[in-house]
Amino acid sequence: MAYFLQQLINGVTLGMIYGLIALGYTMVYGIIGMINFAHGEIYTIGAFIAVIAFTLLGPLASAPLAIVAVLLAAMLFTAMYGWTLERLAYRPLRRQAAPRLAPLISAIGMSILLQNYVQLTQGARVKPLQPVVRGGFTVFEEGGFLVQMSYVQILIWVLTLALMAGFALLIARTRLGRAQRSCEQDIRMAELCGIDVNRTISLTFVLGAALAAVAGLMVTLYYGVVDFFIGFLAGIKAFTAAVLGGIGSLPGAMLGGLILGLVESFWSAYFSIEYKDVAAFAILVLVLIFRPTGLLGRPEVEKV
């Protein structure tokens, strides 16, 4: 029981990180119907900005205010990357009404470009970071096995839940949220109704990139190492989570992330850590066979 509970805590923590990255995929897909494969590299940039900022802050790095400052800096810089990415790689194609395959190829190209950009500027070696948030407490004890929950895990849970609540309010109650929902329904009609579609799409990329920065910071605090390639696998898994939950659905992205994190954690603990990715992707295949739209996805309606 204690071992199971420990894996549950670890799986939920990992799933929340996947869920945050998956939100960026699902937001962009929900509005313009494309997969931004460069989103994983934005997450990598957020993680590196966090490492650089913590290194610069030095002894102040463990102070709560310093963590908030690093979080805001990472969100700001990655938001700029997200905005630039949309303006350079996707908007020109949208203006020219390019085929749906063109933005997909552009996204893959930008993913490779950003990956090499990070490698050139930061090097190919892993970047370690000294523990910034230390300690935790014992949740449960059984037969000498202590179920631990670290303060970093608590920070990840609280931050993720707060961001999810904030985004739910943003989508439901704000002008930007209404514009995003309008674009999701029918982008041409939204434009005819006076909604600034370009601005809405740019802000969606900015918000998605800021969420990726939060995930990058949390991974940096949780694992203590980053490298230029972490965005590739994390991006693929987050995309899997978005598809599993129903791409285009914000709750679905978080649900898919949690399922993926739990599957990985329990499979690693009870079976084989080498095949945890195989197990996660096998679950995805099984779900899509019986429910092609994902767990919370809606079937697309053919517009006439």
Side-chain angles (χ1 to χ4, degrees):
M1 178 63 185
Y3 188 62
F4 177 88
L5 189 57
Q6 183 67 68
Q7 301 314 316
L8 182 66
I9 292 173
N10 295 341
V12 171
T13 305
L14 183 61
M16 286 189 168
I17 294 172
Y18 286 150
L20 275 183
I21 308 172
L23 284 176
Y25 282 102
T26 209
M27 285 168 62
V28 170
Y29 182 85
I31 290 184
I32 57 177
M34 64 156 285
I35 306 297
N36 177 21
F37 279 112
H39 189 64
E41 277 58 48
I42 296 292
Y43 153 81
T44 305
I45 290 171
F48 269 94
I49 290 172
V51 170
I52 293 168
F54 277 126
T55 305
L56 291 175
L57 287 172
L60 296 175
S62 59
L65 283 178
I67 295 173
V68 173
V70 171
L71 177 65
L72 294 176
M75 293 174 72
L76 175 65
F77 280 101
T78 51
M80 291 166 61
Y81 277 97
W83 181 82
T84 306
L85 187 68
E86 192 274 330
R87 291 297 298 261
L88 294 181
Y90 305 134
R91 186 177 295 189
L93 297 175
R94 203 171 62 251
R95 279 181 176 162
Q96 296 173 16
R100 289 173 68 92
L101 198 58
L104 186 67
I105 295 170
S106 181
I108 294 171
M110 290 307 295
S111 171
I112 296 170
L113 176 69
L114 287 176
Q115 197 177 102
N116 283 274
Y117 161 71
V118 174
Q119 184 183 9
L120 282 173
T121 55
Q122 299 299 321
R125 294 182 177 178
V126 297
K127 301 283 184 187
L129 178 71
Q130 293 297 317
V132 175
V133 181
R134 301 170 188 267
F137 61 92
T138 301
V139 178
F140 183 69
E141 182 178 358
E142 185 182 63
F145 186 90
L146 301 178
V147 179
Q148 301 276 349
M149 188 163 190
S150 66
Y151 293 133
V152 175
Q153 289 175 317
I154 295 172
L155 176 66
I156 291 171
W157 286 32
V158 171
L159 201 54
T160 303
L161 292 175
L163 285 171
M164 277 299 294
F167 265 80
L169 287 174
L170 184 144
I171 298 296
R173 303 286 179 84
T174 66
R175 187 174 179 180
L176 173 62
R178 286 193 293 274
Q180 287 178 314
R181 282 183 281 139
S182 301
C183 292
E184 182 187 7
Q185 291 290 320
D186 191 322
I187 201 164
R188 183 62 61 193
M189 184 59 71
E191 195 168 21
L192 291 173
C193 290
I195 291 174
D196 190 338
V197 170
N198 286 329
R199 179 174 174 273
T200 304
I201 293 173
S202 288
L203 287 175
T204 301
F205 271 83
V206 165
L207 291 173
L211 286 177
V214 177
L217 169 64
M218 291 192 294
V219 162
T220 305
L221 292 175
Y222 194 43
Y223 293 111
V225 289
V226 298
D227 64 65
F228 75 97
F229 202 63
I230 59 169
F232 177 76
L233 193 55
I236 293 292
K237 289 184 178 178
F239 173 62
T240 303
V243 174
L244 182 63
I247 194 156
S249 163
L250 296 184
M254 189 52 69
L255 176 64
L258 287 173
I259 292 174
L260 204 64
L262 288 170
V263 168
E264 281 194 15
S265 178
F266 282 111
W267 190 275
S268 302
Y270 290 102
F271 299 101
S272 166
I273 194 169
E274 287 84 4
Y275 294 102
K276 62 184 174 67
D277 295 337
V278 176
F281 288 111
I283 296 271
L284 171 70
V285 171
L286 286 175
V287 169
L288 291 183
I289 286 173
F290 296 102
R291 192 172 172 81
T293 56
L295 295 173
L296 299 182
R298 293 172 299 180
E300 288 191 6
V301 178
E302 189 74 23
K303 297 183 178 71
V304 294

